[in-house]
Amino acid sequence: MQQIIDFFKGLFATDKWPARWHCGEWSDFHGWMYIISDLMIWTAYFLIPLVILNYLSAKKAIIKFQKVYLLFAAFILLCGMTHFFDAMMFWIPMYRLNALVRLVAGVTSLFTLFYLVKILPQAFKQKTSVELENEISRRIEAETKLAEANKSLEAFAYVVSHDLKEPLRKIRIYSQKLIGSTSENSDENRVAYVQKIITSSERMQAMVDDILTLSIVDNIAEFDNVLPGKAVAKAMQDLEIKLLESGASVNVGELPVVRGNEEYLAQLFMNLIGNAIKFSKSNPVIKIYGEVKGDKVIIYVKDNGIGIDENNVSKIFSPFQRLHNKTDFEGSGIGLAICKKIVDVHGGTISVQSKIGEGSTFIIELLKPDSAYK
Ligand code: ADP
């Protein structure tokens, strides 16, 4: 106890020891090397905390674990002080003060270590700036997709309500005529009205079925390596009667394996082959072939039909967009919208090259099996 009291009483005393220059045998070179090295360390250890504090005050709002920064700054500063005192002791032998500074530095160092170990699990859980940037771009991408989906949903709802209204209006008008006044309602007229009501309701039924098909194509479908030839064969089986009736010939060439869903692809080919038969002059000739280009597989569905006006090719993949009157060609105008949705969920694209009177070629781009499917 007495030693401790004496220690603090003579904390700044320098008369009990010789200055370090006189303690042992120092050459100038050796002594100055010691002093300069200590002063260099002290300078750096004095400035590093300033840099840390400056950074901390600038980024205070976003920095986590601020206490660690402060502890680290204090620990470095105190370590620097010990080097400063070491250098000074060549002239002023303040061994007691130096010991006290070392004690404080030691305790602060251990405390910093303890605190670091404590927060380490939490620190590991923190996302790196690269991870955060990736997450932000993922979110932006998802938001953009959502905005696009909302937009097309709005357009879709508009088109659906608009197109469904038309047969509904007809049903209302002819029903009113049917129950309405009398004199012009010959039996013949009544039959014609009922016939129109039936046709309109059948048309509505077909439209509702198509809308349902469109809405159930989704991203949840399972994907596998698929031979498109098998999907084409399935589609042709379903179209057997139409193929026979139209006398169409379908020529299927080599089709490379793709990453996809066989059911969806069968539906895609069914719509395209069905259209090729429907929009033909006579004797439809349909060619289906493919090739690999980089990590993509391109499939072509070519017909010798009536063709499409170049100015309208961008329209036809939207729901209910028809270029032909329903009296010329039956349909609800949703087949190609289904095709587009199927290709979209495959991460691919669909387009068409065509000229009036010269047939059309639908071009489908899908992913090869070994290309990463996102
Ligand atoms: P739908 O066949 O019920 O009319 P689709 O969405 O399948 O609806 O096609 C949209 C429109 O695109 C058709 O009405 C037609 O005008 C045009 N079209 C589609 N396929 C072909 C084709 N192979 N040849 C010519 N026109 C086509």
Side-chain angles (χ1 to χ4, degrees):
M1 190 63 191
Q2 190 53 45
Q3 283 189 13
I4 298 173
I5 296 167
D6 290 346
F7 176 88
F8 281 105
K9 264 189 185 164
L11 188 61
F12 298 101
T14 55
D15 56 338
K16 302 265 192 253
W17 302 273
R20 197 175 259 168
W21 275 126
H22 310 299
C23 180
E25 272 184 37
W26 294 92
S27 67
D28 280 353
F29 173 74
H30 184 181
W32 280 107
M33 185 166 84
Y34 200 111
I35 294 164
I36 290 169
S37 310
D38 266 341
L39 289 179
M40 283 195 312
I41 296 171
W42 170 68
T43 311
Y45 281 22
F46 180 72
L47 294 177
I48 287 172
L50 291 184
V51 175
I52 292 176
L53 291 179
N54 187 24
Y55 175 71
L56 202 59
S57 71
K59 302 269 179 182
K60 204 169 178 181
I62 53 161
I63 286 185
K64 288 206 163 186
F65 312 119
Q66 294 188 13
K67 212 165 161 190
V68 170
Y69 286 80
L70 289 173
L71 276 171
F72 198 71
F75 148 64
I76 294 264
L77 190 72
L78 285 162
C79 289
M81 292 290 285
T82 64
H83 286 275
F84 178 74
F85 279 107
D86 253 14
M88 288 301 106
M89 293 229 293
F90 274 79
W91 296 278
I92 312 164
M94 40 192 170
Y95 277 94
R96 286 186 180 145
L97 186 61
N98 195 356
L100 186 64
V101 171
R102 278 164 190 271
L103 177 70
V104 178
V107 170
T108 314
S109 314
L110 284 177
F111 195 72
T112 309
L113 172 69
F114 169 76
Y115 193 71
L116 270 176
V117 171
K118 194 176 138 203
I119 59 144
L120 212 56
Q122 257 175 293
F124 273 128
K125 279 188 203 148
Q126 297 297 306
K127 292 196 165 134
T128 64
S129 60
V130 175
E131 283 171 328
L132 283 174
E133 271 168 30
N134 284 345
E135 192 170 318
I136 290 170
S137 44
R138 262 200 305 275
R139 283 190 190 178
I140 292 176
E141 203 179 307
E143 274 167 22
T144 320
K145 272 191 186 159
L146 195 67
E148 275 170 16
N150 278 342
K151 239 185 186 174
S152 59
L153 198 66
E154 266 172 38
F156 182 64
Y158 172 78
V159 175
V160 168
S161 62
H162 183 266
D163 279 58
L164 281 178
K165 264 185 202 159
E166 190 219 271
L168 208 57
R169 215 177 105 246
K170 266 194 181 164
I171 293 173
R172 204 187 63 235
I173 290 172
Y174 287 109
S175 306
Q176 278 167 349
K177 282 195 174 195
L178 205 60
I179 56 167
S181 86
T182 54
S183 51
E184 60 194 78
N185 270 357
S186 64
D187 283 352
E188 215 172 289
N189 280 349
R190 278 172 200 271
V191 172
Y193 296 157
V194 172
Q195 198 53 56
K196 285 190 194 236
I197 291 171
I198 292 172
T199 314
S200 291
S201 49
E202 278 173 357
R203 185 163 157 66
M204 269 188 86
Q205 174 75 56
M207 284 168 86
V208 170
D209 287 348
D210 282 346
I211 291 166
L212 194 67
T213 314
L214 183 65
S215 69
I216 57 179
V217 176
D218 57 27
N219 291 311
I220 308 162
E222 279 181 19
F223 288 85
D224 213 336
N225 296 345
V226 175
L227 277 169
K230 273 173 92 179
V232 172
K234 239 184 201 173
M236 284 172 60
Q237 232 170 34
D238 290 340
L239 290 168
E240 200 180 347
I241 308 283
K242 276 191 185 166
L243 285 167
L244 278 174
E245 280 174 1
S246 62
S249 79
V250 184
N251 188 326
V252 185
E254 207 178 309
L255 294 173
V257 184
V258 297
R259 183 102 191 120
N261 176 289
E262 195 174 298
E263 283 300 319
Y264 282 176
L265 291 180
Q267 183 152 26
L268 169 86
F269 289 118
M270 198 172 95
N271 288 345
L272 293 178
I273 299 170
N275 277 352
I277 298 171
K278 182 163 62 174
F279 299 105
S280 68
K281 294 163 272 188
S282 57
N283 299 332
V285 178
I286 303 158
K287 289 187 181 141
I288 305 174
Y289 52 97
E291 60 175 334
V292 174
K293 266 193 190 164
D295 61 349
K296 305 267 165 60
V297 171
I298 323 282
I299 297 175
Y300 305 87
V301 179
K302 187 175 161 67
D303 65 48
N304 61 341
I306 58 173
I308 301 166
D309 180 357
E310 275 166 279
N311 301 318
N312 289 327
V313 288
S314 58
K315 282 191 201 162
I316 58 173
F317 296 100
S318 303
F320 301 114
Q321 291 293 329
R322 310 198 71 226
L323 307 179
H324 302 95
N325 198 300
K326 62 178 177 295
T327 46
D328 297 333
F329 299 97
E330 57 150 31
S332 60
I334 224 167
L336 288 180
I338 294 174
C339 292
K340 177 157 182 353
K341 197 160 175 196
I342 290 174
V343 172
D344 280 349
V345 299
H346 279 74
T349 59
I350 182 166
S351 57
V352 63
Q353 281 176 357
S354 186
K355 270 195 182 137
I356 292 279
E358 290 182 21
S360 312
T361 305
F362 285 84
I363 302 157
I364 303 137
E365 234 183 70
L366 297 170
L367 292 173
K368 254 179 23 181
D370 46 2
S371 42
Y373 179 77
K374 286 180 198 157

